[in-house]
Amino acid sequence: MSAFRNHRPLALAAAWLATRALMLWLLAHDHLAPLGGGGVSREVGHLYFRWYGVLSRGAFPVGDPLWQYPPGAGPVLLAPALLPSLTYFTAFVTLTLAADAVITAALTWAGRRAGRSLRGARLWVLGLPLLLHVPLARYDVQVTAFAVVSLLTLSRSPRVCGAFAAMGALVKVWPALALIGTPRGRTTREVWTSAAVSAAALLAVLAALFSGPFDFLRQQSGRGVQIESLGGTLLGFARHAGWPGTVRYQYGAMEFVGPYVGAVAAGSLALTVAAFGLVLLWRVRARHRTPATPYDAALAAVLLFTVTSRVISPQYMVWLLGLAAVCLTSRHTTQRPVAALIVAATAVSSVVYPGLYGEVVRGTWTGCLLMLVRNGLLATAAGVSLVRLWRSGPSTTAPDRRTSDRGAPGPHRIPAALRTRQ
């Protein structure tokens, strides 16, 4: 049995090599119509490379409506310069694969600890290729690496956990939500202090090295309703009912324009605020904790943030796969059904983009139904995730300090008749 267990990491490594080779092949043939006709790789080869040219001169893309990212994205887009012998595109893909390998190694390391599981590593290795070659041509894998490492280091070093979450949040905001489930008391203070100090220090460095680091806020505030969002799905069906809106490329995405779009966007923001309030209420009321609680809370929070967002791009599924994988490293997680729903939504996402994206843009019945299925799966996952997290948290039972990933029973699991003899 031990020999079998020792071979499982080797099998994961072989699966990683095989699946990533397939993803690279798809990226190399991105010009084929079923794979997007070159649209997937164009973002790196044209848009990212153009931003690289601006950033290399010590400035953020001020006034560019496509630049909607926090200042930490700058170093990520400049990172291909570390491989000067390669083209920008090749270097970017190489670094993305390196980040992917870091996530796989971290999940494998966590899964091999006593009482843990390699299910998380398997989910990541086999789940990411469901997005075809899209993850290799976006920098969401790098962002997910920060969040995954942050969560997996929480039990050993809260300060390191906070620092990695801060770095991820400065690239894309959502990794800050990974800290929503940190244990109360000293651990939370250490994590959030480390995150705040790290974020402040990094912002100071970026502000000193680059001009216009906060221009992204102006561009982000102008975002509308992307056709792939939950609100966009409603507007897509509304077109079949006579709504006169149209689709336009703006702010780097295909968005709806027309009557009531502003109201739908405002509704999405209101739902995001409400969802965040529910997660905060859970944190205030939660008493019972397991080793998986920080992981489960992170996944629930990011799921709610994603589902209620005005934008749900295909690469957002990378975030959810990474967080679901972290949850599955613990045998105490409540999120196994949620992980299955996320995998199903990921598979549908690759059909939506790049497969049948033209149908979605034109708002055909096929496109609308695809978005209904994908977003329905995500909405269901968010609801199930929050309910399961809520049921596991708000309890009058005192926190169980003896529960660990080894599965040692805490006092609340011991029958009352036996507890009276202790």
Side-chain angles (χ1 to χ4, degrees):
M1 179 63 71
S2 61
F4 173 73
R5 289 177 178 173
N6 290 334
H7 280 86
R8 284 188 293 181
L10 295 177
L12 278 172
W16 187 89
L17 289 171
T19 53
R20 274 44 180 185
L22 175 60
M23 293 170 70
L24 284 171
W25 185 90
L26 293 172
L27 186 63
H29 294 80
D30 182 45
H31 59 278
L32 299 176
L35 297 177
V40 173
S41 60
R42 192 176 298 123
E43 189 150 334
V44 176
H46 293 77
L47 184 60
Y48 288 4
F49 184 64
R50 173 161 62 83
W51 286 339
Y52 169 82
V54 177
L55 291 163
S56 62
R57 294 193 293 271
F60 284 94
V62 176
D64 187 342
L66 302 183
W67 178 259
Q68 301 154 23
Y69 308 106
V76 174
L77 296 178
L78 284 171
L82 298 173
L83 303 174
S85 61
L86 302 178
T87 65
Y88 182 84
F89 181 86
T90 305
F92 181 91
V93 173
T94 300
L95 292 175
T96 303
L97 283 171
D100 177 12
V102 168
I103 294 173
T104 304
L107 291 168
T108 303
W109 168 79
R112 295 192 70 188
R113 291 165 58 191
R116 293 288 197 116
S117 172
L118 285 172
R119 290 191 186 97
R122 289 198 294 269
L123 173 69
W124 176 258
V125 169
L126 300 177
L128 193 67
L130 292 176
L131 291 170
L132 306 180
H133 52 306
V134 172
L136 299 181
R138 302 292 186 271
Y139 66 88
D140 294 86
V141 173
Q142 289 89 320
V143 182
T144 303
F146 285 119
V148 168
V149 173
S150 172
L151 286 169
L152 293 179
T153 56
L154 172 61
S155 61
R156 292 175 177 260
S157 178
R159 291 185 177 88
V160 172
C161 167
F164 272 98
M167 287 187 282
L170 287 181
V171 181
K172 282 194 174 180
V173 177
W174 69 266
L177 295 173
L179 304 182
I180 197 70
T182 54
R184 295 179 181 181
R186 179 180 176 181
T187 299
T188 288
R189 289 194 297 272
E190 289 183 355
V191 168
W192 281 98
T193 299
S194 173
V197 171
S198 300
L202 290 170
L203 278 175
V205 171
L206 291 171
L209 295 177
F210 299 90
S211 62
F214 302 107
D215 185 70
F216 76 98
L217 293 171
R218 181 176 59 178
Q219 312 304 334
Q220 186 64 241
S221 63
R223 291 301 296 263
V225 177
Q226 189 206 30
I227 60 175
E228 297 170 67
S229 67
L230 200 62
T233 301
L234 295 175
L235 292 174
F237 279 102
R239 293 173 73 181
H240 288 280
W243 178 65
T246 58
V247 174
R248 179 190 303 168
Y249 181 78
Q250 56 185 16
Y251 296 100
M254 303 302 294
E255 296 186 347
F256 280 110
V257 293
Y260 311 114
V261 171
V264 173
S268 295
L269 290 174
L271 286 174
T272 299
V273 173
F276 188 61
L278 284 173
V279 176
L280 287 180
L281 182 61
W282 163 83
R283 180 173 174 83
V284 170
R285 295 190 58 193
R287 294 294 181 268
H288 171 60
R289 301 184 62 87
T290 73
T293 298
Y295 309 160
D296 295 353
L299 178 59
V302 175
L303 255 173
L304 289 167
F305 171 81
T306 301
V307 168
T308 59
S309 174
R310 294 171 292 172
V311 179
I312 306 180
S313 297
Q315 59 266 27
Y316 288 16
M317 302 306 302
V318 176
W319 317 346
L320 302 177
L321 285 170
L323 294 177
V326 172
C327 290
L328 294 188
T329 62
S330 175
R331 299 183 187 276
H332 297 273
T333 184
T334 62
Q335 303 293 302
R336 290 191 185 93
V338 179
L341 289 168
I342 289 172
V343 170
T346 301
V348 178
S349 289
S350 63
V351 179
V352 171
Y353 182 85
L356 297 175
Y357 196 58
E359 301 285 333
V360 179
V361 173
R362 292 191 299 272
T364 65
W365 280 110
T366 298
C368 288
L369 290 173
L370 277 172
M371 294 315 310
L372 181 64
V373 172
R374 200 283 300 270
N375 289 339
L377 287 168
L378 284 180
T380 302
V384 172
S385 180
L386 182 62
V387 168
R388 293 178 73 86
L389 177 69
W390 192 274
R391 287 177 176 174
S392 70
S395 170
T396 56
T397 304
D400 178 14
R401 292 183 174 86
R402 290 197 289 168
T403 301
S404 71
D405 273 330
R406 296 179 181 272
H412 65 286
R413 295 184 183 178
I414 301 175
L418 296 180
R419 286 204 300 268
T420 58
R421 300 176 187 174
Q422 293 182 340

